[in-house]
Amino acid sequence: MTRQDFLRLKNGTDVRGTAIEAENDPVTLTDEAVYEIARAFCLWLTTKKRIAAPTIAIGHDSRLSAKRIEKALIRGFTDCGRDVILTGLSSTPSMFMLLQEDFGADASVMITASHLPFQKNGLKFFVKEGGLEGEDITEILQIAAAGNFPRGNGTVMRKSYLEKYALDLVKKVRTACGKQQPLQGKRILVDAGNGAGGFYADLVLKPLGADVAGSQFLEPDGSFPNHIPNPENAEAMKSVCDAVKRHKADFGIIFDTDVDRAGAVSADGEEINRNRLIALISAILLEERQGAYIVTDSVTSDGLTQFIAGHGGVHHRYKRGYKNVINESIRLNAEGKYCPLAIETSGHAAFRENYFLDDGAYLVTRILIALAKCAEEGKELTDLISSLPEAEETQEIRLPFAAGVDFKTLGAQVIEELKEYANGSPFLSLAPDNYEGVRVNFAEGEGDGWALVRMSLHEPIMPINIESNVKGGNAIMIQKLYGFLKKYPFLHTEGMKQTII
């Protein structure tokens, strides 16, 4: 494989590729690639982290290609003389948490591609300080391409950690509530989407006294036969919402494949997702300490900003990407600004009290403590977000770039020219917190809302997120944006035109 072949496998702070051949999608995450990347990680740990002979833990979610990739990782690590601990079916957060204990590992690798289609897979790397950054992944892939690795004969042992991880979550709820079974009498439904999150029903909820009848798709199955395990997917959310209503549950939980994200459902079958989920956990944290900064991604609503301010907090809207919001939260804390939470609308949530690890199970556990306390006070969990101003209309439009163009340069040009246009417009104003793309506010009578025009993190696409406080407002804003964007021949704006019509 060439250096460029390896670098194509980089996806933000992960390695990702096609692991099972599909139509027009050849395998790129080959045994050879995984083997060389494993050896490169060994060398990187020795040279960059100064760990002379690291022991490396390997875990995986339910994907069909997991065992093949696990074998290639084992060969790579042991051929470098490194010992391996196989943890079996695991969640991504658990693969970091085991490094915080006397588990015997110095680093870990999680085999997952999150919510991507069944044919995809990937690798997430952890050291004791946290997950690797994008530049670390680039360096490892460059080492893989260069070769020249140490040789040796490492050992392999099997040792599960997920049970201990779940027990720690149980202990957290019991300590916070002062009861062994604070969820007694509550029916709480889990939808794992056939990913790795099925453990939460048996190992966390049942010991806390919850009735988990109606939980669905708990069995690991990497073909994902029921729906995509993704809290942002409309079909997946409809499935869990319907199940909550059908089984008259008090609360519903949905995890993504590797459990680093979560969404929730209230007793009436309504989603607690995106802005509502952020508002709920913000209300919980701000009740504990006023004045806290809540860092979110760029597509959160103005209503959420009002809600957080009304609860005594500061909404700090930042760039999309879970690593971006986490690193911004860490930076704010270093400046002396108390920031307990970094959270994306996708369901990635990372708490200061939990190593700033994005952990869907931990997020849900924090909410369950509030659920138990609300029940004791005769309140509903949704009472905590009853004052959240919610938009009348929300929408996302994704504009593809023409094939072969320098979309990053051209996209930056469009964004800068839209800023200039907004500055001279009578019905537009620039939002003060433009950390990503350009966010413009539309005046009353001119759409009465906002639009965020930005670049996709990984694709030649310009997403536009739109939110209006009035019915029909989105169409007005789309029409005005189309009038500006249609002049760019490299942008496919047909979708906007169809929306207007």
Side-chain angles (χ1 to χ4, degrees):
M1 289 178 64
T2 67
R3 180 175 179 273
Q4 200 57 39
D5 289 334
F6 278 107
L7 290 174
R8 286 192 190 99
L9 294 172
K10 181 184 174 183
N11 186 279
T13 56
D14 303 340
V15 166
R16 284 188 185 171
T18 301
I20 297 174
E21 186 173 2
E23 187 176 355
N24 298 318
D25 193 8
V27 172
T28 56
L29 197 63
T30 62
D31 287 352
E32 176 196 356
V34 174
Y35 176 73
E36 299 297 348
I37 291 168
R39 297 205 293 169
F41 186 45
C42 291
L43 189 56
W44 183 86
L45 287 169
T46 301
T47 57
K48 188 75 175 282
K49 305 306 291 184
R50 306 296 181 190
I51 306 172
T55 296
I56 304 168
I58 303 173
H60 61 80
D61 63 20
S62 61
R63 288 181 176 273
L64 300 174
S65 56
K67 287 298 182 182
R68 174 181 72 78
I69 292 173
E70 181 186 70
K71 287 179 182 177
L73 285 173
I74 292 169
R75 282 197 304 112
F77 293 148
T78 56
D79 281 358
C80 285
R82 306 305 176 226
D83 295 337
V84 172
I85 302 174
L86 301 179
T87 64
L89 187 71
S90 303
S91 72
T92 291
S94 73
M95 294 306 295
F96 168 75
M97 291 304 297
L98 64 81
L99 298 177
Q100 309 310 309
E101 302 188 17
D102 187 20
F103 186 75
D106 302 292
S108 63
V109 182
M110 176 67 179
I111 303 169
T112 183
S114 188
H115 62 280
L116 293 182
F118 78 94
Q119 73 266 26
K120 303 294 184 180
N121 216 330
L123 307 170
K124 289 178 182 276
F125 300 89
F126 293 100
V127 291
K128 188 170 184 178
E129 295 77 24
L132 271 56
E133 300 289 345
E135 55 266 30
D136 298 323
I137 300 300
T138 299
E139 193 171 348
I140 288 167
L141 293 174
Q142 289 172 336
I143 293 170
N148 192 24
F149 303 108
R151 304 293 301 181
N153 294 292
T155 64
V156 180
M157 68 175 290
R158 296 183 182 275
K159 184 180 177 183
S160 177
Y161 177 74
L162 201 56
E163 295 77 12
K164 171 63 170 58
Y165 168 82
L167 181 59
D168 287 343
L169 296 177
V170 171
K171 287 178 179 176
K172 182 168 186 67
V173 178
R174 287 174 172 167
T175 300
C177 297
K179 293 181 179 180
Q180 283 293 103
Q181 293 194 318
L183 300 179
Q184 188 78 43
K186 293 290 184 186
R187 175 168 289 180
I188 301 176
L189 181 154
V190 176
D191 183 330
N194 302 110
F199 76 93
Y200 199 85
D202 287 332
L203 299 184
V204 180
L205 292 176
K206 284 184 179 179
L208 292 171
D211 174 3
V212 299
S215 291
Q216 58 186 21
F217 318 138
L218 304 184
E219 306 79 15
D221 184 344
S223 65
F224 308 131
N226 296 291
H227 63 66
I228 296 171
N230 181 5
E232 284 196 292
N233 178 265
E235 180 188 356
M237 284 308 302
K238 183 180 185 306
S239 179
V240 68
C241 288
D242 289 347
V244 166
K245 289 184 280 191
R246 186 167 61 250
H247 295 281
K248 296 180 171 58
D250 298 287
F251 190 62
I253 299 163
I254 180 169
F255 293 117
D256 76 340
T257 319
D258 61 329
V259 203
D260 61 0
R261 292 190 295 131
V265 182
S266 58
D268 58 3
E270 293 298 314
E271 291 184 25
I272 305 178
N273 219 356
R274 301 179 66 81
N275 289 294
R276 300 187 86 216
L277 182 65
I278 298 171
L280 178 58
I281 192 60
S282 296
I284 292 167
L285 293 171
L286 289 167
E287 189 173 310
E288 296 170 1
R289 180 165 169 176
Q290 293 276 290
Y293 282 71
I294 306 295
V295 177
T296 74
D297 59 356
S298 59
V299 297
T300 45
S301 70
D302 291 340
L304 179 64
T305 302
Q306 296 171 37
F307 179 86
I308 290 172
H311 283 70
V314 180
H315 182 197
H316 186 85
R317 195 184 278 127
Y318 197 58
K319 300 175 184 176
R320 293 205 89 187
Y322 72 95
K323 268 292 191 180
N324 288 329
V325 294
I326 288 172
N327 289 339
E328 180 69 0
S329 297
I330 292 170
R331 184 188 70 79
L332 289 174
N333 279 295
E335 286 183 356
K337 297 173 180 175
Y338 175 67
C339 177
L341 177 69
I343 184 167
E344 277 200 300
T345 48
S346 64
H348 277 290
F351 294 78
R352 172 178 165 150
E353 67 192 31
N354 192 44
Y355 304 96
F356 271 121
L357 171 69
D358 54 313
D359 185 344
Y362 191 89
L363 168 65
V364 167
T365 300
R366 258 318 212 126
I367 293 172
L368 289 178
I369 294 169
L371 176 69
K373 290 181 177 178
C374 282
E376 282 190 345
E377 298 167 5
K379 297 191 302 187
E380 296 292 331
L381 187 64
T382 49
D383 290 343
L384 298 179
I385 55 172
S386 59
S387 63
L388 174 66
E390 299 202 56
E392 198 67 44
E393 296 179 337
T394 62
Q395 192 171 349
E396 181 177 86
I397 298 171
R398 296 168 68 81
L399 305 182
F401 283 80
V405 302
D406 182 0
F407 65 91
K408 291 184 179 179
T409 300
L410 293 172
Q413 172 194 332
V414 172
I415 287 168
E416 287 305 311
E417 291 178 3
L418 180 55
K419 287 179 184 178
E420 294 175 13
Y421 175 71
N423 275 325
S425 169
F427 58 85
L428 286 180
S429 62
L430 288 174
D433 49 358
N434 272 325
Y435 287 100
E436 178 177 29
V438 54
R439 187 180 179 112
V440 291
N441 296 320
F442 288 76
E444 288 186 24
E446 302 286 353
D448 191 10
W450 57 268
L452 174 67
V453 181
R454 59 188 173 85
M455 291 296 296
S456 169
L457 295 177
H458 307 298
E459 302 173 279
I461 288 173
M462 177 172 280
I464 304 175
N465 295 87
I466 303 169
E467 187 174 289
S468 176
N469 298 315
V470 297
K471 283 190 181 298
N474 277 7
I476 295 171
M477 291 187 286
I478 292 169
Q479 184 172 26
K480 293 181 182 299
L481 285 172
Y482 174 70
F484 174 79
L485 294 171
K486 67 180 181 180
K487 65 184 179 185
Y488 297 104
F490 50 80
L491 268 181
H492 293 302
T493 56
E494 296 84 358
M496 296 183 80
K497 188 175 182 180
Q498 290 170 3
T499 302
I500 297 165
I501 295 168

